Amino acid sequence: MLLGRRLLSRRHRLAHCLAQCRSLETERTAGSAVPDGVLSAFRSVCGDDGVSVGEAVREQHGKDESVHRCCPPDVVLFPRCVEEVSALAKICSRHRLPIIPFGTGTGLEGGVSAVQGGVCFSLRNMDLVLDLHQEDFDVTVEPGVTRKALNASLRDTGLWFPVDPGADASLCGMAATSASGTNAVRYGTMRENVVNLEVVLADGSVLHTAGRGRRPRKTAAGYNLTNLFVGSEGTLGVITKATLRLHGVPEAAVSAVCSFPSVQAAFLDDVMMDACNRFSSLSYAVRPSLFLEFHGSEHGLEEQVHAAEEISQGNGGAGFQWAKDAETRERLWRARHDAWYASLALRPGCKAYSTDVCVPLSRLPQILVETKEDLVANGLTGPIVGHVGDGNFHCLMVVDPGDPEEMHRVHLFVERLARDGFGEQGPISTQQPGPGGLGGRGGFFTVVVVVVAGVVEAAGALQSSTLQLPQPGRLSHHAQAMAQYKPGTAIGSTGGRG
Amino acid sequence: MSGRVLVGVKRVIDYAVKIRVKPDNSGVVTDGVKHSMNPFCEIAVEEAVKMKEKKLIKEVVAVSCGPQQAQETIRTALAMGADRGIHVEVSGKDFDLLGPLQVSKIMAALAKKEDAQLIILGKQAIDGDCNQTGQMTAALLDWPQGTFASEVSLEGDKVKVVREIDGGLETIRINTPAVLTADLRLNTPRYATLPNIMKAKKKKIEKVKPADLGLDMTSRLEVLRVDEPPQRLAGVKVETVADLVAKLRETGRL
């Protein structure tokens, strides 16, 4: 995916999204939008146990871990295999019902909110690890397999899947959202690590993006359909299998923490460190800090750690602590991985809203300093955490959803942040979570990022010609926003928990 | 002291697998099902390897009892850092009836043969949940035992063990040679790396039979039947307290 300029859409559209979601919620009652005939058609495909209109089940499938309001679907289905997914999709297509795929519900952008109601496909029963090829370093998984479950099943093989977005997310969900995370600097994001996908399109047809059963390490042949679907966030189809590239477990790993006198000098800011200390019962210096992890051979590591220590000290870093054994390393990193929950714990009862800005590395210190100043000046709680290696940082805005004045201040702050991120020259992407990437779903922002206008049109064509929009409303919002802006900007969005 | 530690490792159905009972209720389905090392045995191996890395002991020997496939589990232990393995071959009917009493006889015999300073086992296996092998082995050898260990420190010819018990933590000091059983919080087992897996292929695994050790594997237990736990039925919501009382009377609870 090209990094291009991303643009904010107008506020009135945002307000419209928000209003739309709220009014839909009050109007819709249990399963009212789905005729009984359709429900029995669903039941004939996946059994009585596989169809639920229960309120609690629908609510559980209408929200994720973000601050966004729950928008429950009209019915939740639990297919057990790709044939069932295909048959169910055909039924939805015939009756023009929106489809919302659901993996683990650990996203941060309201990606599973059923803004216009519809049918949720909960894929948790498809949880097999298939086709492990140890010598070729690849494995195929179904959507119910989470990243920790995969690594646990691989523990005897010397291989692992290193993309770690923080949560124990569904791997197919991670493919759909193009997840990144703390290991991206060394191992890449989902884009670099998904080799093939099996996707059920809205009309029920089953597509293998790199060919059925194929798992080439590289290919120079034709369209890269796999990477069209990676990051498509459920708008182009339901992912039912992902073939992933595995890596060797590093021979040795060393983690280090170093604190710095200022945010500019370091990375996890002091508010975040304080939150982490309190949450995880740790006692790091409450100062902006950098967490580092080195993977490699024993000798290679010594050199790396030594070099890193010198550089940190040269830049005012102090208290360089490092750990070699698994338990201490895990404790060191737990502070960082639990950043989301630690932030929430700062103000119990509040929700957290993650901003996600990515700038060229050289611009990072400047924008961090300005962000910090803005937060303090406006009395906002926003611990900062991120993956420096990518020039990517998150402000975890902890906000009381019942306080409209505070929500408004956060809203303005985030707009300014997006504009500042955008204001930097060169390829930048400001990814504000919100109604999830492509268009509005009833949240704070419609992040519109347009890359090469042609791609949007192609995606739109794919949707309307093949069939039914599985997620109506998203792409069209997008197209509208596009009309306003110059071509040459980029689309998509991902929120981040850090 | 010999500086040699015996670690028992058992091959069990992987903890993440959904167990299914055979249609004839004679046991659970094991054919084609993913197997791996018992999680508590992984912790035991890790503890022994850590002791060796700290130069507190000299050699870690991994032992497993079972058919040919038991060797896979020994290889995993070797990849984690054990020096060599002993595969005690038990198959067919003998293997179906292999239980804590038989395994503890084997471990006791091997401990004498190998002049072991310590035996470390997992506290229990996730298939049988017996939690008996460690204790029986210690009794057969007349050695002290430190079971449910969450912390172990070697102090000369003694071992200090912190045990997880119902009321909290109990610290004891016992003489070596001794039997220890590993509990969950003792350590976090390492992942095998590719270079170590390759090195493990070259390490030795010795094969012995129980008869070679002069042991009788007969079991005094017979499995009659294996059933799944009963299906959980849906609950019923009642509107008033009177309804609740009526329902309880109806089902004979009151």
Side-chain angles (χ1 to χ4, degrees):
Chain A
M1 167 97 147
L2 304 170
L3 285 181
R5 276 166 305 195
R6 295 189 175 199
L7 301 167
L8 286 173
S9 68
R10 291 285 137 84
R11 279 224 259 142
H12 71 262
R13 191 173 301 116
L14 311 177
H16 173 70
C17 292
L18 209 44
Q20 188 186 34
C21 180
R22 278 203 212 105
S23 66
L24 278 171
E25 228 188 296
T26 47
E27 277 168 28
R28 267 183 297 121
T29 51
S32 59
V34 181
D36 282 336
V38 179
L39 286 179
S40 47
F42 287 153
R43 286 192 182 103
S44 69
V45 172
C46 52
D48 284 341
D49 288 343
V51 180
S52 178
V53 291
E55 200 180 314
V57 175
R58 289 185 307 120
E59 275 176 15
Q60 186 199 2
H61 288 83
K63 61 174 162 53
D64 55 17
E65 294 195 358
S66 69
V67 70
H68 300 298
R69 215 171 271 272
C70 172
C71 290
D74 297 305
V75 57
V76 183
L77 306 177
F78 298 90
R80 293 158 294 197
C81 58
V82 62
E83 291 79 16
E84 285 186 10
V85 176
S86 172
L88 295 168
K90 285 194 178 97
I91 300 171
C92 291
S93 168
R94 201 158 45 235
H95 298 275
R96 306 184 74 77
L97 296 167
I99 299 174
I100 303 106
F102 187 100
T104 45
T106 45
L108 291 177
E109 303 181 37
V112 294
S113 303
V115 174
Q116 295 181 7
V119 182
C120 174
F121 281 34
S122 171
L123 301 159
R124 70 172 188 212
N125 287 335
M126 295 171 60
D127 61 359
L128 297 177
V129 173
L130 311 158
D131 300 336
L132 166 65
H133 297 106
Q134 284 187 242
E135 313 78 26
D136 295 325
F137 283 32
D138 64 59
V139 67
T140 303
V141 296
E142 290 188 330
V145 179
T146 65
R147 115 190 129 75
K148 285 185 187 169
L150 175 62
N151 283 331
S153 81
L154 292 172
R155 68 192 183 283
D156 293 339
T157 61
L159 301 172
W160 74 314
F161 188 68
V163 180
D164 175 3
D168 187 20
S170 148
L171 289 156
C172 293
M174 284 164 60
T177 53
S178 187
S180 173
T182 49
N183 291 325
V185 182
R186 187 184 168 99
Y187 297 103
T189 67
M190 288 308 280
R191 287 201 194 283
E192 291 80 44
N193 290 291
V194 176
V195 170
N196 198 351
L197 291 171
E198 177 189 81
V199 188
V200 174
L201 303 178
D203 69 349
S205 42
V206 180
L207 169 71
H208 293 91
T209 57
R212 181 187 283 274
R214 302 233 178 262
R215 40 190 185 90
R217 289 188 71 78
K218 57 146 276 194
T219 172
Y223 296 110
N224 187 348
L225 285 183
T226 306
N227 273 354
L228 173 63
F229 285 89
V230 173
S232 62
E233 303 189 13
T235 56
L236 300 178
V238 181
I239 297 176
T240 49
K241 277 194 191 74
T243 304
L244 305 169
R245 189 186 309 260
L246 301 172
H247 298 252
V249 171
E251 225 183 285
V254 170
S255 302
V257 178
C258 189
S259 65
F260 291 84
S262 68
V263 164
Q264 190 155 15
F267 210 57
L268 249 83
D269 79 336
D270 49 348
V271 179
M272 188 75 254
M273 285 311 285
D274 186 42
C276 291
N277 277 346
R278 288 200 244 161
F279 186 75
S280 305
S281 306
L282 298 161
S283 52
Y284 294 125
V286 180
R287 302 206 294 163
S289 303
L290 209 51
F291 280 82
L292 304 158
E293 181 143 307
F294 308 91
H295 287 178
S297 66
E298 298 271 357
H299 289 305
L301 280 188
E302 272 179 44
E303 288 169 15
Q304 286 180 49
V305 172
H306 193 62
E309 198 166 2
E310 273 183 13
I311 296 171
S312 317
Q313 277 158 2
N315 283 286
F320 196 89
Q321 291 182 51
W322 50 284
K324 276 195 76 177
D325 63 277
E327 279 126 346
T328 321
R329 272 196 296 117
E330 207 167 312
R331 263 189 34 240
L332 223 61
W333 273 99
R334 196 183 315 137
R336 170 66 182 77
H337 286 309
D338 287 343
W340 180 257
Y341 304 106
S343 305
L344 281 172
L346 274 179
R347 291 176 62 191
C350 289
K351 297 278 176 123
Y353 173 87
S354 171
T355 70
D356 189 351
V357 177
C358 192
V359 298
L361 286 174
S362 57
R363 301 293 186 189
L364 193 56
Q366 180 63 18
I367 192 169
L368 278 177
V369 169
E370 286 165 5
T371 305
K372 233 0 220 174
E373 284 166 359
D374 196 336
L375 282 169
V376 170
N378 286 284
L380 295 169
T381 315
I384 301 179
V385 69
H387 358 137
V388 206
D390 297 336
N392 186 198
F393 72 97
H394 308 289
C395 244
L396 307 180
M397 309 301 305
V398 186
V399 60
D400 179 0
D403 177 352
E405 195 273 324
E406 188 180 14
M407 294 287 268
H408 184 66
R409 271 185 295 131
V410 168
H411 198 119
L412 292 174
F413 165 82
V414 178
E415 268 194 3
R416 283 195 298 276
L417 179 61
R419 245 197 317 273
D420 289 345
F422 175 60
E424 303 286 348
Q425 298 124 355
I428 304 164
S429 57
T430 303
Q431 315 161 317
Q432 300 301 24
L438 311 175
R441 276 231 246 221
F444 265 61
F445 280 151
T446 300
V447 177
V448 187
V449 172
V450 176
V451 179
V452 179
V455 170
V456 181
E457 269 127 21
L462 187 68
Q463 290 213 351
S464 52
S465 68
T466 342
L467 3 114
Q468 203 58 30
L469 280 182
Q471 316 258 33
R474 285 177 107 186
L475 216 53
S476 59
H477 251 306
H478 203 88
Q480 278 176 45
M482 249 194 69
Q484 303 212 10
Y485 302 107
K486 301 178 284 197
T489 27
I491 301 179
S493 123
T494 57
R497 64 182 64 236
Chain B
M1 285 272 98
S2 71
R4 187 170 296 123
V5 174
L6 281 193
V7 182
V9 295
K10 186 179 181 186
R11 180 174 181 265
V12 297
I13 295 179
D14 189 86
Y15 72 84
V17 167
K18 289 190 191 93
I19 307 289
R20 282 176 305 133
V21 174
K22 283 193 202 155
D24 64 0
N25 294 101
S26 62
V28 300
V29 177
T30 52
D31 282 341
V33 171
K34 180 164 195 249
H35 283 65
S36 49
M37 191 191 291
N38 179 41
F40 294 106
C41 299
E42 287 179 351
I43 298 174
V45 173
E46 176 67 26
E47 196 61 20
V49 173
K50 272 202 167 80
M51 285 178 187
K52 196 181 99 166
E53 284 171 346
K54 290 188 200 149
K55 305 227 192 328
L56 297 169
I57 56 150
K58 296 206 197 81
E59 193 187 24
V60 179
V61 183
V63 179
S64 192
C65 310
Q68 185 60 21
Q69 295 95 318
Q71 294 211 2
E72 291 163 14
T73 311
I74 300 176
R75 289 274 169 224
T76 306
L78 295 173
M80 284 172 73
D83 297 293
R84 59 183 168 90
I86 301 176
H87 170 207
V88 181
E89 228 183 335
V90 181
S91 47
K93 204 72 179 52
D94 277 346
F95 178 63
D96 292 336
L97 297 169
L98 190 70
L101 182 57
Q102 292 74 30
V103 174
S104 53
K105 284 181 185 171
I106 293 172
M107 293 303 300
L110 285 174
K112 290 205 190 98
K113 182 163 175 270
E114 300 284 337
D115 187 25
Q117 176 181 344
L118 272 181
I119 300 178
I120 311 183
L121 305 172
K123 72 171 179 182
Q124 67 196 59
I126 59 171
D127 51 8
D129 276 335
C130 294
N131 193 335
Q132 295 164 359
T133 309
Q135 291 86 338
M136 284 177 171
T137 308
L140 287 170
L141 288 164
D142 196 25
W143 284 7
Q145 57 187 262
T147 54
F148 306 102
S150 66
E151 218 181 290
V152 170
S153 16
L154 291 178
E155 296 173 351
D157 61 350
K158 296 199 199 296
V159 190
K160 189 172 94 176
V161 183
V162 178
R163 306 178 57 230
E164 294 200 5
I165 59 175
D166 284 350
L169 298 172
E170 179 193 55
T171 309
I172 58 173
R173 189 173 281 116
I174 53 179
N175 295 325
T176 50
V179 176
L180 306 175
T181 70
D183 207 326
L184 193 63
R185 278 159 280 272
L186 180 57
N187 59 49
T188 310
R190 64 196 62 195
Y191 281 86
T193 62
L194 286 173
N196 286 344
I197 290 176
M198 283 184 347
K199 282 184 210 151
K201 290 198 181 124
K202 304 218 178 75
K203 293 182 182 172
K204 276 193 63 180
I205 299 182
E206 186 194 333
K207 253 164 107 161
V208 298
K209 290 199 169 60
D212 299 339
L213 300 166
L215 297 172
D216 172 21
M217 292 285 101
T218 26
S219 173
R220 282 168 260 191
L221 299 174
E222 187 194 332
V223 174
L224 298 176
R225 203 187 149 83
V226 176
D227 285 298
E228 271 185 21
Q231 276 272 26
R232 194 170 165 194
L233 299 167
V236 173
K237 268 192 184 157
V238 291
E239 297 299 311
T240 69
V241 173
D243 286 346
L244 175 62
V245 173
K247 261 264 174 304
L248 288 171
R249 283 225 170 88
E250 207 179 282
T251 51
R253 299 290 204 271
L254 263 191

